[in-house]
Amino acid sequence: MIRNLVGFLTVLMTALLCAQSAYAQLTVQTLNIESDEGAALLERLREGGLVMYIRHADTTGQQCDTYNYSAGREGQRNISPTGHEQAAELGERIEALEIPIAEPILTGPVYRARDTAELAFGVDRVSVTDSLLADDYARGRLDWVLSEHRRLFSESVAKGENRVLVGHRTPAQMIFGSVLSGTSLPEAGVLVLEPRGSEGSELLGVLEIVPAINGGNPSCQFG
């Protein structure tokens, strides 16, 4: 009797956790700052204490990564000319919206992320770190890179400022799962997180501060 009850409770708890996870996935969405939900999230950012994880700017028409590590920028998929403008506009909009940010702004070394950060916020305010590497460039350090993403997502941030990270979509997808699949984190989109320390972080939504270009997920060009 007791064994059956324990089994039933175990199944029930599993079902509740799955339902909670599914509900969380359904409630995470890309929010325009003009919408009610987007405006509410913007107000939270103005209070500070959150993490802004920015995906690099537009890469429409650019070559795919060749992963020729000695080629530097020439071997990478870079942001497009329009992406340069988009990144600069993103920085201007963040300032105009009075979103307080902590310095330095952190970015990965892959150029599409680094360029986005430096164009948006200025070279002097940006620090480059391998902690925000793109997954395909992590090589044998992917577990460490994902661990570093989780750390930067979860460490507390002082009220009155927000931690700004500029990186890539796939590491965030690996951490948060299918909720970030498809167009849910477009290029130049801002993933907003509430750090929870040892409990990780809560995904509050994706904020579209500047318009996505070509759907926000363009294909790269081979050859």
Side-chain angles (χ1 to χ4, degrees):
M1 179 71 175
I2 294 176
R3 183 179 300 173
N4 290 339
L5 179 60
V6 170
F8 171 77
L9 290 174
T10 300
V11 171
L12 179 60
M13 287 300 296
T14 301
L16 288 172
L17 288 171
C18 289
Q20 183 181 33
S21 176
Y23 176 76
Q25 291 192 6
L26 288 172
T27 56
V28 175
Q29 55 184 312
T30 304
L31 304 172
N32 186 289
I33 58 173
E34 303 298 330
S35 69
D36 291 343
E37 297 88 348
L41 188 52
L42 175 60
E43 283 305 312
R44 290 200 61 181
L45 282 170
R46 286 173 172 154
E47 295 172 3
L50 302 180
V51 176
M52 301 170 64
Y53 182 73
I54 302 172
R55 186 182 176 191
H56 60 78
D58 176 70
T59 59
T60 298
Q62 302 304 295
Q63 71 166 22
C64 298
D65 287 295
T66 67
Y67 306 110
N68 177 357
Y69 293 95
S70 64
R73 181 186 294 276
E74 299 303 316
Q76 298 182 18
R77 176 165 61 96
N78 293 284
I79 60 175
S80 66
T82 306
H84 281 248
E85 297 173 3
Q86 185 187 43
E89 182 186 358
L90 176 62
E92 292 169 0
R93 290 287 290 153
I94 288 172
E95 182 176 4
L97 290 167
E98 300 181 334
I99 299 172
I101 59 177
E103 294 187 24
I105 290 90
L106 300 180
T107 183
V110 176
Y111 279 104
R112 55 185 175 272
R114 179 174 180 171
D115 289 344
T116 298
E118 293 179 349
L119 286 163
F121 303 104
V123 175
D124 294 342
R125 302 173 69 192
V126 171
S127 180
V128 180
T129 173
D130 279 1
S131 296
L132 294 170
L133 264 170
D135 56 297
D136 289 331
Y137 282 86
R139 305 173 89 172
R141 296 189 293 165
L142 180 58
D143 287 345
W144 176 80
V145 167
L146 293 177
S147 175
E148 285 293 281
H149 276 72
R150 291 187 180 94
R151 177 181 66 81
L152 292 169
F153 290 170
S154 62
E155 285 183 346
S156 63
V157 184
K159 284 292 184 182
E161 59 184 23
N162 299 286
R163 177 178 300 123
V164 178
L165 314 171
V166 183
H168 307 264
R169 178 177 59 170
T170 302
Q173 286 180 320
M174 290 179 171
I175 292 169
F176 292 106
S178 60
V179 66
L180 291 179
S181 62
T183 60
S184 58
L185 181 56
E187 292 180 331
V190 181
L191 184 66
V192 182
L193 306 166
E194 181 177 0
R196 296 287 184 85
S198 61
E199 297 179 5
S201 59
E202 180 184 356
L203 199 165
L204 301 180
V206 177
L207 203 56
E208 188 180 68
I209 293 178
V210 293
I213 299 171
N214 294 322
N217 293 284
S219 299
C220 58
Q221 305 296 316
F222 288 99

